[in-house]
Every structure is written in structure tokens, then in C-alpha cells.
Amino acid sequence: MALLNAKTLRDVRKCVEKYCANYAGGVCILHESPCDYYGKYGHSVSCDYFEQAVLPNEPLLQKAYEEAHGIINAEKEAVKYNVGKCAKCGEAFIKRSNRAKYCGACHAVKQREHNRNYMRKKRSS
Ligand SMILES: [Zn+2]
């Protein structure tokens, strides 16, 4: 299955030549074999070293590459942030603390209710 289109693969190869420390004249020093991206399946291989150490040098290419490989950013974000479900409206939201139960909008409403109750109690006592 081809993942990268011809242009992206061409750019990947350029990126390998330019930045990959293991690339020497078409051969990967690390794997002691021809660089995977130059092989027959270059458009669908996945080299860990390339993805982690070489690709970040070219942010635009990295984006195209990750999209083609189905490495979706939303997935990464979900891991990075703690995504919770609002206890009031059920909307997904990013938790800023582990105790957060409500989304931004509901939190504001709750806060207002809380303040109102507090003021009422204060006045009646
Ligand atoms: Zn909510």
C-alpha cells in the first residue's frame, strides 16, 4: 500500500540526504543495508530513526508525512492533554487539572451559582 505520494517521497529522500546521520551514499549505516526510503517500498516504510531524529528538521514535510502515514495529530494531543467529559453537558474538554469536572462554559456557570449560594448563605446568617 502506498502511503506517501511521489512528491512527499521525493522530499523525504531529500531530507534523508540532507539530515540523516546514518545515510551514506544510499546505504543506511544503522541497518547496514540500502536506505529503506530508496527501496521499492520507500513510499510505505517507516523508519523510527528517520521519524524521530531526521524528519523534525522539516516541519512541513513532517506534517505531510504524518498525515500520509495516518499519524493523526488529534490522537497525539489527546495523549498529551488529559481529555475529560463534562459532567454537566457531556462535551469533551481538556482538563487543566485532574479535579476538573466541567467544560469551560459549564465551569463558569457553576462558579456563578456557587458565588450566588455563598452570598445568600452569608446574608441569611
Ligand atoms: Zn459542559
Side-chain angles (χ1 to χ4, degrees):
M1 193 178 66
L3 293 168
L4 304 179
N5 59 35
K7 189 199 174 294
T8 309
L9 180 59
R10 211 161 45 232
D11 289 345
V12 162
R13 287 175 177 170
K14 255 188 264 170
C15 187
V16 167
E17 278 172 43
K18 216 160 137 189
Y19 300 109
C20 186
N22 295 315
Y23 177 85
V27 174
C28 175
I29 296 167
L30 198 67
H31 297 114
E32 294 182 321
S33 65
C35 173
D36 284 343
Y37 291 106
Y38 285 79
K40 199 172 156 194
Y41 304 105
H43 45 66
S44 54
V45 296
S46 170
C47 170
D48 284 346
Y49 180 83
F50 174 76
E51 287 171 7
Q52 280 159 30
V54 185
L55 196 52
N57 288 304
E58 300 266 9
L60 280 177
L61 178 61
Q62 184 176 28
K63 195 166 169 282
Y65 180 97
E66 289 184 345
E67 272 169 17
H69 270 267
I71 307 166
I72 303 156
N73 280 331
E75 228 170 90
K76 277 203 228 158
E77 303 272 289
V79 174
K80 202 159 63 180
Y81 300 107
N82 200 355
V83 176
K85 209 171 153 198
C86 177
K88 197 161 184 266
C89 69
E91 213 47 67
F93 72 106
I94 293 161
K95 285 174 153 187
R96 281 178 189 82
S97 83
N98 280 330
R99 292 201 339 260
K101 273 198 298 208
Y102 306 105
C103 71
C106 294
H107 180 78
V109 172
K110 279 271 157 196
Q111 197 68 43
R112 257 197 310 269
E113 274 174 21
H114 178 84
N115 287 347
R116 210 185 300 138
N117 289 342
Y118 179 76
M119 291 304 283
R120 204 179 293 144
K121 250 183 248 156
K122 216 178 164 191
R123 247 175 276 140
S124 64
S125 64

